[in-house]
Amino acid sequence: MAPSTGNRVSARVAAVSPSATLAVDAKAKALQAQGESVIGFGAGEPDFPTPAHIVEAAVEACRDPKTHKYTPTAGLPALREALVAKTRRDSGLEVTPAQVLVTNGGKQAIANTFATLLDPGDEVIVLAPYWTTYPESIVLAGGVPVVVSSDESTGFRSPVADLEAARTERTKILLFVSPSNPTGAVYPRSEIEAIGRWAVGHGLWVVTDEIYEHLVYGSAEHHSMPVVVPELADTCVVVNGVAKTYAMTGWRVGWMLGPVDVITAATNLQSHETSNVANVSQRAALAAVAGDLVAVGEMREAFDRRRRTIHRMLNEIDGVTCIEPEGAFYAFPSVTGLYGREIRGRTARSSAELAELAIDEAKVAVVPGEAFGAPGYFRMSYALGDDDLVEGVSRLAKLFGDAV
Ligand SMILES: Cc1ncc(COP(=O)(O)O)c(C=O)c1O
């Protein structure tokens, strides 16, 4: 029998919010199960299948009894070697295999990193709009997220002056992500350099999330902060994974790159939590990162086409404005122009209420900005089929056009 005194769930875990993005997806799927035609802009995952050569490598691995066993906690030696080579090829960062820890997705790389670096009360500067997992992961590790907000006026990028205004004696880490989820912002090299130099100048760690490194469009380019500012080598952790680049969200393979002492400590932690990533998934990831980038290029082309379509169509809706996303696969339109309008008998005064209207009345799933520390916006993933995208935005245009 449960003890009659005390809380059944710890205060630490009770304080964790459910993932808003997964909640939107769950609602959309439940409506679909009832036979409704729902268009989902909620999920942050490519709509493509994993490229065939990667799947083949996994099938082969399944048949090999060696793959039925544990691997070293830090990952298959061949995968760690391949990640060293892939990192050199893609960003130019030089690391050794001892600086690589293979994790259960980028998500575990982030959780490991904060658990390894933070002591209670240490502050982490988090740039909003932020990916919804970041603050939760920091709090679970005993840290304190200090949010620095930005908006369209700077392209959702934070200048050094704003970071400096948030810095205190307790600041230990700057958390950086470019391209960004949820805004699609991509920092140019000069701004990355300025931020990196500021971090070095104040002895701060940088945790940089490069999971969308290959998804940049037009003239935007991805630059890795520890490459632009090599002085960060000893105080920087890079987070990455195969999920977004190779349409491999379900395989759960990510990694962290960092100084050897941090990677060793994080490996010890992971050895007691989850041990190694599924052996078969590691073999699939090996095929992905050791292979060429042809499939990635094809997917990027499709995302780019959809990006231009969604950007154009959203701006055609009265009350909606959207800056052009330059990376990842999200548009982040402002919807404050719709506040206070009567739409199908309801008057919404927040992006959360507008998102509810969208799913209830138009069967269109979007994630409200509240989930990203940025009320007033929708996050709309354009990693869905071209026809669905057009149909979904058309439904929103009709719904919001019905306003009186
Ligand atoms: C910015 C960012 N980082 C990391 C991740 C983690 O991805 P995964 O755990 O699927 O590798 C995501 C996934 O949505 C993301 O958007």
Side-chain angles (χ1 to χ4, degrees), residues 66-396:
K66 275 205 307 291
T67 320
H68 306 168
K69 307 292 185 198
Y70 294 127
T71 77
T73 298
L76 287 166
L79 177 56
R80 293 171 89 197
E81 292 279 357
L83 288 168
V84 167
K86 168 253 170 281
T87 303
R88 182 182 302 123
R89 176 193 68 185
D90 294 347
S91 76
L93 185 66
E94 292 288 345
V95 289
T96 64
Q99 292 180 266
V100 182
L101 168 58
V102 179
T103 59
N104 283 275
K107 229 174 218 182
Q108 191 184 25
I110 290 163
N112 279 349
T113 301
F114 290 130
T116 304
L117 291 180
L118 292 175
D119 277 316
D122 284 345
E123 293 177 1
V124 182
I125 296 179
V126 179
L127 310 180
Y130 50 71
W131 181 44
T132 180
T133 290
Y134 291 149
E136 301 289 358
S137 182
I138 293 163
V139 170
L140 277 170
V144 179
V146 174
V147 174
V148 170
S149 293
S150 65
D151 61 22
E152 301 89 328
S153 65
T154 58
F156 294 112
R157 304 191 307 274
S158 292
V160 167
D162 291 4
L163 308 184
E164 177 59 16
R167 189 175 62 83
T168 74
E169 292 284 286
R170 295 305 311 262
T171 309
K172 179 157 186 189
I173 301 174
L174 167 72
L175 174 55
F176 185 77
V177 54
S178 173
S180 154
N181 172 8
T183 64
V186 180
Y187 281 73
R189 188 186 163 99
S190 59
E191 291 177 23
I192 292 174
E193 180 168 0
I195 291 172
R197 296 222 171 281
W198 167 81
V200 169
H202 295 289
L204 303 183
W205 285 76
V206 171
V207 175
T208 177
D209 184 340
E210 302 189 346
I211 204 149
Y212 294 101
E213 65 181 332
H214 286 289
L215 299 179
V216 290
Y217 314 105
S219 59
E221 288 176 356
H222 175 260
H223 294 283
S224 179
M225 195 180 284
V227 175
V228 176
V229 182
E231 296 89 330
L232 272 172
D234 204 37
T235 48
C236 183
V237 173
V238 177
V239 170
N240 208 331
V242 292
K244 317 289 175 172
T245 304
Y246 302 98
M248 290 180 72
T249 46
W251 299 79
R252 310 309 304 135
V253 185
W255 55 91
M256 52 188 284
L257 311 175
V260 171
D261 58 339
V262 170
I263 294 300
T264 304
T267 305
N268 289 340
L269 171 71
Q270 184 169 301
S271 75
H272 294 293
E273 290 194 324
T274 55
S275 302
N276 61 274
V277 172
N279 199 332
V280 170
S281 286
Q282 291 193 59
R283 295 274 290 268
L286 176 57
V289 299
D292 62 34
L293 293 167
V294 172
V296 182
E298 285 165 9
M299 288 190 267
R300 182 173 48 232
E301 216 169 278
F303 291 142
D304 189 17
R305 185 176 65 239
R306 297 165 188 177
R307 172 183 77 105
R308 283 181 271 118
T309 305
I310 198 169
H311 173 245
R312 176 179 50 76
M313 288 185 73
L314 284 170
N315 280 305
E316 284 167 7
I317 303 176
D318 179 35
V320 177
T321 56
C322 183
I323 65 165
E324 190 174 31
E326 297 189 306
F329 39 61
Y330 308 100
F332 204 66
S334 165
V335 292
T336 52
L338 298 167
Y339 286 7
R341 289 194 195 172
E342 196 185 320
I343 300 167
R344 308 267 166 99
R346 286 155 71 173
T347 307
R349 297 193 192 282
S350 68
S351 39
E353 287 171 8
L354 282 165
E356 263 176 47
L357 255 169
I359 188 79
D360 293 346
E361 298 289 335
K363 304 289 177 278
V364 171
V366 300
V367 188
E370 282 83 347
F372 310 102
Y377 301 90
F378 283 172
R379 187 194 76 171
M380 298 177 65
S381 162
Y382 49 84
L384 76 174
D386 294 72
D387 293 346
D388 279 354
L389 185 151
V390 170
E391 165 68 15
V393 185
S394 301
R395 286 190 199 176
L396 288 183

Side-chain angles (χ1 to χ4, degrees), residues 36-56:
E36 299 277 7
S37 131
V38 178
I39 309 279
F41 291 95
E45 62 182 342
D47 58 321
F48 301 103
T50 301
H53 70 282
I54 299 173
V55 176
E56 280 313 311

